[in-house]
Amino acid sequence: MSDSASLSSEGMNSNSVAVFCQPADVDSFTDTFNRLGRALSIIKAGGPHEATEWCGESTPPAAIFVNIDGTAHPVPALNDLAAVAGPGCRLVAMGSRQDVNLYRKLLQAGIFDYLLTPSSMGQVSEILSRADEDAWLGQPQAESVRLGQTVALIGAVGGVGASTVVTALGQHLAHACKIPTVLVDYDRRGSNLALSLGLEANSGLEGILSAPEVDLRLIQRTLLSQEVEVGKGQRLHLLAQRPGPESHVDPELVLQLGGALCQLFSMSVWDIPSHRPSGSDEILENADIRVVLVDYTLQNARAAHILLSDFGDESRGQRLFLVANAARHGDAPAISRSQFEDFLKRKVDVEIPYMGNALDKTLLQGSLNLASLAVFKSAVEKLACGILGWPVPLAAPRPGFFRRLLNR
């Protein structure tokens, strides 16, 4: 395993610091960090909310110092910031409260440290030194702190649109939710993710899994990135591979790769083909979240039953989502939703409507464009909210009769 200095993702400012503090402390912190020779990405008055907004539009720094005085619920607010900043960014909470219980809650939530204000330059320097070395307080291993989550998405059978849903889910997590996300194209036969993102595939994943051990620097060099706006940072990355014959993969190496990606990104989404090639069962077995994609056919019902038998156990805290994607039919499905659910003895969590050739049209113009696919986007958003544990936004109310008359 590589040293901790290599754990920052390629889109991260490896030595910079962002500071959100009380207005009266801006000048003193500016002087402190300048004297310590640390580059400041930004320093401004604010707290977790301001830090989250800024981080969602900027390349995450190596560390964020954020004041929590005046924040009613600091731990949830810092968790929101952590999701946007990514696992490689060290969060240091600051405040005037000398509260041991608060300090313990912060450490349990994966916050790197708590800096009591007013503070000295020596205290700031000591925290920065430990952050550079990944030396966590009270933790035997830094790898056990604030890791990302793994989502394994598999189609019950081929042709249910798994790669398209993986692409759309990744785009929503990265661009709408501002969460650092990596997609892993584990389908060697299809290798469709690069095309769906408008990128040219390389042999990155094949090279990583051909090495004797996982090399974090090699991962960083082979990642492809999709940047929506110049200067907004790269939050959606791809481990791609070119189409070719499948070969045996060491399952232990696949698990090492999964663990490494959890150190680099808040969310890793794996596109697992339905025929479950070598190494895929290990990912499904250990993923934090499993998504089984189906269509309402008897073949899908039988295949989904096998997948749920193998990976449907949620007793260890792993969650499973059953998603129905009407990928092949525009009229009535072969079997009804209720018949499908009765056969599996499990409810469908999300339904994605039939989109006709609308998806193909967007791909002919480049990458998948969710903005032009409102109904499809809404279903993907519902799935993303379920995965993140967020409430699903309410649909905007339709205009009433009187307002429609006014708009004529």
Side-chain angles (χ1 to χ4, degrees), residues 200-331:
E200 183 176 349
N202 59 15
S203 300
L205 182 59
E206 180 188 4
I208 291 169
L209 295 179
S210 299
E213 63 179 11
V214 170
D215 186 336
L216 287 167
R217 293 184 178 87
L218 179 58
I219 294 175
Q220 293 168 346
R221 287 196 298 268
T222 57
L223 283 170
L224 302 176
S225 303
Q226 185 184 56
E227 186 173 8
V228 177
E229 296 181 55
V230 177
K232 295 296 185 181
Q234 297 172 336
R235 295 191 172 272
L236 182 58
H237 303 261
L238 171 65
L239 265 183
Q241 56 180 331
R242 294 192 178 100
E246 292 179 341
S247 58
H248 175 74
V249 176
D250 182 359
E252 183 61 32
L253 205 62
V254 176
L255 292 178
Q256 288 181 23
L257 173 60
L261 293 177
C262 285
Q263 297 179 57
L264 295 172
F265 300 96
S266 293
M267 198 67 67
S268 307
V269 185
W270 292 65
D271 182 8
I272 307 293
S274 59
H275 62 279
R276 291 161 59 177
S278 173
S280 60
D281 280 10
E282 283 71 22
I283 291 297
L284 288 163
E285 177 67 28
N286 291 279
D288 301 288
I289 297 133
R290 304 153 181 154
V291 180
V292 177
L293 198 66
V294 300
D295 200 353
Y296 292 139
T297 68
L298 182 58
Q299 182 188 14
N300 272 266
R302 289 171 173 169
H305 186 272
I306 295 173
L307 284 171
L308 294 180
S309 298
D310 291 344
F311 305 109
D313 183 9
E314 298 176 281
S315 62
R316 294 192 302 165
Q318 296 161 293
R319 292 177 293 150
L320 185 139
F321 292 86
L322 186 62
V323 179
N325 183 27
R328 294 175 173 171
H329 55 79
D331 48 7

Side-chain angles (χ1 to χ4, degrees), residues 50-319:
E50 289 75 16
T52 302
E53 282 193 340
W54 173 82
C55 205
E57 301 297 331
S58 309
T59 300
I64 298 177
F65 286 65
V66 57
N67 192 284
I68 60 173
D69 283 343
T71 303
H73 304 287
V75 174
L78 289 170
N79 283 335
D80 290 342
L81 173 59
V84 175
C89 178
R90 302 299 174 228
L91 300 185
V92 179
M94 302 187 295
S96 57
R97 290 174 56 187
Q98 297 191 35
D99 188 333
V100 174
N101 290 328
L102 171 64
Y103 183 59
R104 287 175 175 170
K105 288 179 181 178
L106 292 174
L107 291 183
Q108 290 171 356
I111 306 306
F112 187 75
D113 207 343
Y114 178 69
L115 178 65
L116 190 65
T117 57
S119 59
S120 67
M121 186 170 70
Q123 291 172 318
V124 175
S125 175
E126 187 268 338
I127 290 176
L128 287 174
S129 296
R130 285 194 293 104
D132 290 341
E133 297 173 2
D134 237 14
W136 293 75
L137 289 174
Q139 294 288 347
Q141 293 182 348
E143 289 84 353
S144 65
V145 180
R146 205 161 59 78
L147 295 179
Q149 289 192 308
T150 298
V151 179
L153 190 148
I154 182 171
V157 301
V160 293
S163 295
T164 302
V165 174
V166 167
T167 303
L169 179 61
Q171 287 182 332
H172 185 81
L173 291 170
H175 303 322
C177 302
K178 309 296 184 183
I179 293 175
T181 302
V182 63
L183 306 183
V184 183
D185 194 340
Y186 207 70
D187 186 0
R188 186 71 188 276
R189 296 180 184 176
S191 304
N192 293 316
L193 294 189
L195 177 64
S196 298
L197 292 172
L199 302 171
E200 183 176 349
N202 59 15
S203 300
L205 182 59
E206 180 188 4
I208 291 169
L209 295 179
S210 299
E213 63 179 11
V214 170
D215 186 336
L216 287 167
R217 293 184 178 87
L218 179 58
I219 294 175
Q220 293 168 346
R221 287 196 298 268
T222 57
L223 283 170
L224 302 176
S225 303
Q226 185 184 56
E227 186 173 8
V228 177
E229 296 181 55
V230 177
K232 295 296 185 181
Q234 297 172 336
R235 295 191 172 272
L236 182 58
H237 303 261
L238 171 65
L239 265 183
Q241 56 180 331
R242 294 192 178 100
E246 292 179 341
S247 58
H248 175 74
V249 176
D250 182 359
E252 183 61 32
L253 205 62
V254 176
L255 292 178
Q256 288 181 23
L257 173 60
L261 293 177
C262 285
Q263 297 179 57
L264 295 172
F265 300 96
S266 293
M267 198 67 67
S268 307
V269 185
W270 292 65
D271 182 8
I272 307 293
S274 59
H275 62 279
R276 291 161 59 177
S278 173
S280 60
D281 280 10
E282 283 71 22
I283 291 297
L284 288 163
E285 177 67 28
N286 291 279
D288 301 288
I289 297 133
R290 304 153 181 154
V291 180
V292 177
L293 198 66
V294 300
D295 200 353
Y296 292 139
T297 68
L298 182 58
Q299 182 188 14
N300 272 266
R302 289 171 173 169
H305 186 272
I306 295 173
L307 284 171
L308 294 180
S309 298
D310 291 344
F311 305 109
D313 183 9
E314 298 176 281
S315 62
R316 294 192 302 165
Q318 296 161 293
R319 292 177 293 150

